[in-house]
Every structure is written in structure tokens, then in C-alpha cells.
Amino acid sequence: MDYKRIEQLVAVHGTPALFFSRNRIRDNFRALQSALPGVELFYAVKANCHEGILATLQEEGALFDVCTNGEIDIVKTCRIGPELCLHTHPIKRDSDIRYALDFGIRLFVADNEFELDKFLPYKDKIKLLIRMSIQNPQCLVNLSQKFGAPPADTFALVKKAADAGLRVAGICFHAGSQNENPFKYIEALEYCRDIYKKAALAGIHLEIVDIGGGFPIDYLARVTPIAQFCQPINEYLARYFSNYRIIAEPGRFICGPAMTLAVRVVGKALREGVWWYYLDEGVYGSFSGKMYDHAEYPMQLARGGERRQSICAGPTCDSIDVVYENIALPPLEIGDLLAFNAMGAYTTASASNFNGFPKAKIVTID
Ligand SMILES: *Cc1c(COP(=O)(O)O)cnc(C)c1O
């Protein structure tokens, strides 16, 4: 977002604030939909569950990926029906399964035999996707460390589920968040080809392939434009999976670019020859994404001048609350405005109100 515009908004709304563009949500959804023609897009609510995002996506015809009872409550509040939702948490309590079933969700995920057992009482009501793990140490967040059956064991799990009378709809995977390598999806789909073949030979009828999320956005560096990024994935799907329902679970790609954070310098100090600037937002707030999501957000500032190594800290009394330990900045003054782009995904979602600082308010701008 343009710095002048941010200044005007801050004059009205103050800081810290996340300025939210519905148009950006719409544009991102449409861009991904046209980059992945025919693929059903389930927005991963965990990336940012702001109601304005869900409402805008619902208008666009999006579907929703929920993981928890709390996320079910949020989609309910937005009057999103269960037929639009998929439940993707691989590990659940029986009460979680029942909560989702009571709402009306029918498609679930499991990734091990203990989890299969939990579905036995509900086997006539549900369909399962089996989560396969795809290792991707290169990307920002590897989502296959914690969940997923190893590819070599996935068919056995499909078979086990089917033998137990569970309806298996297909395989799902997550190739890693902010995944800049489209061939990670192909790698996963290669495993799927083998598994789907074995399933067909075993008389198990699979109907869905779920390619997960992970689609990358621009932070400090530009990534491959989404249409180009998705092209090899489309080609592979068209070649080997043309008879299947293909679904994806984008989070970051949809909401990341749709929020811009505005903060002010509220204090400064020279400590042992290094300038410290204290901001009104830190790692317990929207910058929690720097801790959990390992993201580096593009910064805008008005002030010029010779840059020197500085430290930017958050407002809380905890010393871990440092946003930048070593950043080259011009001399800043108390009251200066800093803006950070691409702060819609995994930012406010993981923010807290630690130390009495409320979460940054979200201001819808269009
Ligand atoms: C977090 C998550 C997503 C969204 O991932 P992005 O990288 O934000 O696109 C999708 N599916 C599952 C199962 C997830 O846990």
C-alpha cells in the first residue's frame, strides 16, 4: 500500500493498525482460481480468520478449510454452511469429530491408524482424506514434520481404512508453506500416482486429490508469478488426474498481501552505542509472524539519512520482544510512522494481548 495513503489512514485510525483490503482478497482469490482452473479452493482459515476475509471469500464462491471447533464457530458466525467446509486437522478428540459432524462437515483428514479408529463410530457419515507427508526443508515453514504418513506407508493406511469400512476419498498433503518450488507438488503427486494406482487395483475408489496450500507471495523478494508457478502443477494434474476432483487449501496466498501494518516509534534510547527504537507493536502482536512464521516483511518509512545498525523492539516489558536485532535504519524520531506490507497471513492470527497490549486493530479500507 502507498505510504501517503497509510499516513492518511493513520491520521484517522491511529497505530498500531492493520489496514485490510477486501479488494486484495478478491484479486488474490481470482488470481489463484485462474492459475488453477478447475481446482476447488478451500481457504485455510487458520492463516487469518477475520470475518471480512471470510465474507469476501464467500461472495467469491470460495470453500473453507477449518481445523478446530473455534474455527467452526467462526465460519458459523459468518453463516458459511458445512457443505462448504473441509476439516483438515489430522489429530482430533472424539468431541472434536462430533462437533464438526454436528455442524454438518463430512470430509475429514487422518494420518495414522489411531486416528482411523476414532472415525469407526461415524463411518457411515464421513469420508476421509489420508494425509501424506512431503518433506520440504527449504521453505519457510515445513508442515510435514508434525503430520502425515510417510509416502511409502500411505497406501497401507488407505488400505487399512478401507478394510475397516471407512470411505477413503483420496490423499492430501501440504508441500510446505511459502513454498517457492512448484516441483514439490509434482513430487507429492508422483507418490499419489503410485498410491492411486495401487488403490484402484485393490478395488478402492478414490475420487479426490488435495494438493494443500503453500502458494508463495512476495515478501522481501519477488516470487514466481502465480500463473507461471502453477503451470507445471496444472500440466501434471491434467495428464494424470483428469478424472479426479482436485482441491487446494490456500491460506497465505489469499490473505498475506491483503493487510498492511502501521506502527509508530514510541521511544528511543542509545544503549552501548547502538540506537534502540521502541515500536507500539512487537512479537507478541502482529510481529508474532516473525517468530512463528519466520517471515520478513517489507518495510516502508519516510525518513531519509545515513543508515546505521539499529535495533527495533516491541512495546512489552519482555526482552525477547525484539522485532529487528540488527537493521540498518536512518535516525528515527519518536512519533515516526513505519509501515509493513504483506502482513495478512500468520500475523494477527498468532498475536496475543500479553502485558496488557491489545491486538492491533484491523481497519477495513475498501
Ligand atoms: C496451514 C495449512 C494450510 C495453509 O497453508 P498456506 O501455506 O498458508 O497456504 C493448508 N492446509 C493445511 C492442512 C494447513 O495446516
Side-chain angles (χ1 to χ4, degrees), residues 24 178 216-225 253 256-257 296 298 341-342:
R24 223 25 222 278
Q178 183 69 3
I217 63 170
D218 291 346
Y219 284 107
L220 297 185
R222 285 197 173 265
V223 297
T224 309
F253 186 85
E296 289 291 342
N341 298 323

Side-chain angles (χ1 to χ4, degrees), residues 142-249:
N142 182 350
L143 283 162
S144 284
Q145 236 158 25
K146 185 164 165 182
F147 298 122
D153 302 342
T154 301
F155 172 68
L157 200 57
V158 170
K159 178 87 167 54
K160 193 164 215 144
D163 288 347
L166 292 160
R167 283 181 293 179
V168 184
I171 306 291
C172 61
F173 56 84
H174 196 300
S177 197
Q178 183 69 3
N179 169 23
E180 297 185 27
N181 177 7
F183 295 97
K184 274 283 154 192
Y185 296 85
I186 309 284
E187 181 187 322
L189 288 168
E190 287 273 329
Y191 290 121
C192 286
R193 255 176 81 199
D194 178 52
I195 297 162
Y196 282 58
K197 238 183 253 166
K198 286 180 178 150
L201 288 172
I204 303 166
H205 173 69
L206 303 181
E207 47 183 313
I208 298 175
V209 183
D210 178 352
I211 65 173
F215 306 96
I217 63 170
D218 291 346
Y219 284 107
L220 297 185
R222 285 197 173 265
V223 297
T224 309
I226 195 65
Q228 197 181 327
F229 181 88
C230 290
Q231 196 192 330
I233 305 170
N234 287 325
E235 283 170 7
Y236 197 91
L237 288 170
R239 187 147 175 199
Y240 298 110
F241 291 99
S242 58
N243 295 324
Y244 294 86
R245 254 178 87 189
I246 313 294
I247 73 184
E249 303 160 355

Side-chain angles (χ1 to χ4, degrees), residues 5-325:
R5 178 87 201 279
I6 298 167
E7 278 182 318
Q8 290 163 356
L9 288 164
V10 164
V12 178
H13 301 283
T15 60
L18 282 161
F19 296 118
F20 164 50
S21 166
R22 280 191 290 217
N23 291 339
R24 223 25 222 278
I25 294 286
R26 220 168 263 134
D27 291 348
N28 295 342
F29 181 79
R30 290 179 188 177
L32 190 57
Q33 189 67 92
S34 82
L36 289 170
V39 176
E40 299 168 34
L41 301 182
F42 288 75
Y43 173 64
V45 173
K46 89 169 186 289
N48 189 328
C49 63
H50 183 58
E51 287 184 14
I53 296 177
L54 302 192
T56 307
L57 287 172
Q58 199 185 7
E59 285 166 18
E60 289 296 307
L63 302 156
F64 299 88
D65 160 4
V66 295
C67 297
T68 61
N69 299 353
E71 288 181 0
I72 290 173
D73 291 343
I74 292 163
V75 298
K76 262 190 204 165
T77 307
C78 294
R79 298 171 179 281
I80 291 164
E83 70 287 352
L84 303 180
C85 297
L86 153 72
H87 194 292
T88 60
H89 205 309
I91 308 286
K92 298 156 292 299
R93 297 166 297 188
D94 177 59
S95 59
D96 299 326
I97 298 174
R98 275 189 283 120
Y99 199 83
L101 280 174
D102 286 346
F103 176 49
I105 295 179
R106 292 292 173 261
L107 190 54
F108 290 86
V109 169
D111 73 350
N112 70 76
E113 57 188 304
F114 305 105
E115 215 54 30
L116 294 182
D117 288 343
K118 296 180 188 173
F119 283 103
L120 292 176
Y122 315 110
K123 63 181 170 198
D124 299 329
K125 290 191 183 152
I126 59 111
K127 285 186 182 178
L128 282 180
L129 295 170
I130 301 296
R131 172 96 171 243
M132 177 175 74
S133 68
I134 291 297
Q135 297 308 325
N136 193 354
Q138 284 95 26
C139 72
L140 209 54
V141 185
N142 182 350
L143 283 162
S144 284
Q145 236 158 25
K146 185 164 165 182
F147 298 122
D153 302 342
T154 301
F155 172 68
L157 200 57
V158 170
K159 178 87 167 54
K160 193 164 215 144
D163 288 347
L166 292 160
R167 283 181 293 179
V168 184
I171 306 291
C172 61
F173 56 84
H174 196 300
S177 197
Q178 183 69 3
N179 169 23
E180 297 185 27
N181 177 7
F183 295 97
K184 274 283 154 192
Y185 296 85
I186 309 284
E187 181 187 322
L189 288 168
E190 287 273 329
Y191 290 121
C192 286
R193 255 176 81 199
D194 178 52
I195 297 162
Y196 282 58
K197 238 183 253 166
K198 286 180 178 150
L201 288 172
I204 303 166
H205 173 69
L206 303 181
E207 47 183 313
I208 298 175
V209 183
D210 178 352
I211 65 173
F215 306 96
I217 63 170
D218 291 346
Y219 284 107
L220 297 185
R222 285 197 173 265
V223 297
T224 309
I226 195 65
Q228 197 181 327
F229 181 88
C230 290
Q231 196 192 330
I233 305 170
N234 287 325
E235 283 170 7
Y236 197 91
L237 288 170
R239 187 147 175 199
Y240 298 110
F241 291 99
S242 58
N243 295 324
Y244 294 86
R245 254 178 87 189
I246 313 294
I247 73 184
E249 303 160 355
R252 185 189 308 277
F253 186 85
I254 304 290
C255 65
M259 287 189 184
T260 298
L261 177 71
V263 306
R264 278 199 198 281
V265 177
V266 295
K268 64 181 207 172
L270 186 62
R271 301 193 196 281
E272 293 174 10
V274 178
W275 279 100
W276 283 70
Y277 298 108
Y278 298 86
L279 312 178
D280 54 9
E281 182 78 333
V283 300
Y284 285 97
S286 307
F287 288 116
S288 55
K290 283 184 65 97
M291 303 291 264
Y292 298 123
D293 192 38
H294 315 295
E296 289 291 342
Y297 310 103
M299 182 198 291
Q300 296 185 63
L301 75 173
R303 203 171 285 280
E306 197 185 331
R307 292 190 175 234
R308 55 198 185 191
Q309 289 316 118
S310 314
I311 297 173
C312 283
T316 69
C317 299
D318 188 349
S319 58
I320 205 172
D321 188 8
V322 171
V323 181
Y324 291 98
E325 275 175 33

